[in-house]
Amino acid sequence: AQSVTQLGSHVSVSEGALVLLRCNYSSSVPPYLFWYVQYPNQGLQLLLKYTSAATLVKGINGFEAEFKKSETSFHLTKPSAHMSDAAEYFCAVSDGGGGFKTIFGAGTRLFVKA
Amino acid sequence: EAGVTQFPSHSVIEKGQTVTLRCDPISGHDNLYWYRRVMGKEIKFLLHFVKESKQDESGMPNNRFLAERTGGTYSTLKVQPAELEDSGVYFCASSHRGLVGYTFGSGTRLTVV
């Protein structure tokens, strides 16, 4: 069975500071890993995905994530937070079988202070 | 290209009533998924269509939920009769065959009172 744990339901950073959102996964097979973002009153938007190619994955809006198999982690980072980054972020895992049924973490809400 | 469209965006119904949610996927996307987020909890898989066929409905909570996908285009999710615990946000997503990652709709917020 697969699972995802996001450490911290809320994270607060100052504008211009580093953003680090933590995600650990569990999977019995090589996983596909995702980060989705949900802005207020919108649907989830795919930020980036890991599909067993490069371990450092670059996404939209300056975000990136690094797949670390030894640590079973897929943390999301951005060097400098912007006010527009305030949203809820979801880490997710899929085994790729049967149409990529996806397991989501509980979400981390990012607050950005001026 | 148009995104995934869901309606209504909000629905408030009384316990025991029936509600039908609709999802229009991106044109040409064979895969269509329904997910649900109950307040404060994880987003949970409900079911997956490939064209008009149900590929996996292991996440459907019980037989009060019925999903259909007419002609492999739009999909409906009917809840009959609705219970209080059905309240939450219902998301639809679609993807092209073989592609990794979904495009989500904005969701339908269902409140059962």
Side-chain angles (χ1 to χ4, degrees):
Chain A
Q2 295 181 304
S3 66
V4 175
T5 302
Q6 291 184 239
L7 301 176
S9 59
H10 297 82
V11 170
S12 182
V13 300
S14 298
E15 193 173 22
L18 171 72
V19 175
L20 171 60
L21 304 183
R22 300 178 186 274
C23 172
N24 288 89
Y25 70 91
S26 172
S27 179
S28 58
V29 299
Y32 294 88
L33 294 161
F34 310 87
W35 276 98
Y36 286 88
V37 60
Q38 185 180 22
Y39 298 102
N41 301 315
Q42 295 186 27
L44 283 78
Q45 179 181 3
L46 182 63
L47 262 182
L48 51 79
K49 59 188 177 186
Y50 167 76
T51 60
S52 78
T55 56
L56 182 62
V57 181
K58 294 187 182 299
I60 61 173
N61 302 336
F63 284 94
E64 62 182 37
E66 186 172 9
F67 172 69
K68 291 187 176 181
K69 184 178 178 180
S70 61
E71 299 177 7
T72 61
S73 70
F74 191 58
H75 302 331
L76 181 70
T77 60
K78 181 174 180 178
S80 177
H82 192 272
M83 297 296 287
S84 60
D85 295 325
E88 190 163 19
Y89 293 78
F90 296 90
C91 182
V93 63
S94 173
D95 63 8
F100 294 101
K101 175 180 174 180
T102 301
I103 308 300
F104 286 83
T108 298
R109 188 168 295 277
L110 176 66
F111 297 91
V112 182
K113 299 174 292 186
Chain B
E1 91 187 334
V4 177
T5 304
Q6 292 186 247
F7 48 92
S9 57
H10 293 81
S11 180
V12 180
I13 62 171
E14 293 184 352
K15 176 183 173 180
Q17 289 186 323
T18 297
V19 62
T20 300
L21 314 181
R22 174 167 168 151
C23 170
D24 287 72
I26 291 174
S27 178
H29 280 192
D30 289 341
N31 292 306
L32 186 148
Y33 309 82
W34 285 97
Y35 283 79
R36 175 175 75 170
R37 189 183 193 193
V38 173
M39 184 179 292
K41 299 198 173 179
E42 292 89 349
I43 300 169
K44 295 283 195 183
F45 170 84
L46 295 178
L47 87 159
H48 168 214
F49 285 98
V50 176
K51 297 185 179 179
E52 67 276 8
S53 299
K54 292 177 186 174
Q55 183 80 10
D56 181 353
E57 52 183 331
S58 61
M60 295 286 264
N62 51 59
N63 59 11
R64 295 186 294 103
F65 289 75
L66 175 63
E68 295 179 323
R69 188 177 183 191
T70 304
T73 57
Y74 70 92
S75 174
T76 58
L77 180 64
K78 179 190 288 188
V79 185
Q80 180 183 28
E83 299 288 346
L84 298 179
E85 64 264 25
D86 300 333
S87 296
V89 180
Y90 290 77
F91 291 104
C92 176
S94 70
S95 70
H96 196 4
R97 190 187 320 158
L99 286 187
V100 180
Y102 304 153
T103 301
F104 275 88
S106 298
T108 294
R109 182 174 296 277
L110 175 64
T111 303
V112 182
V113 296

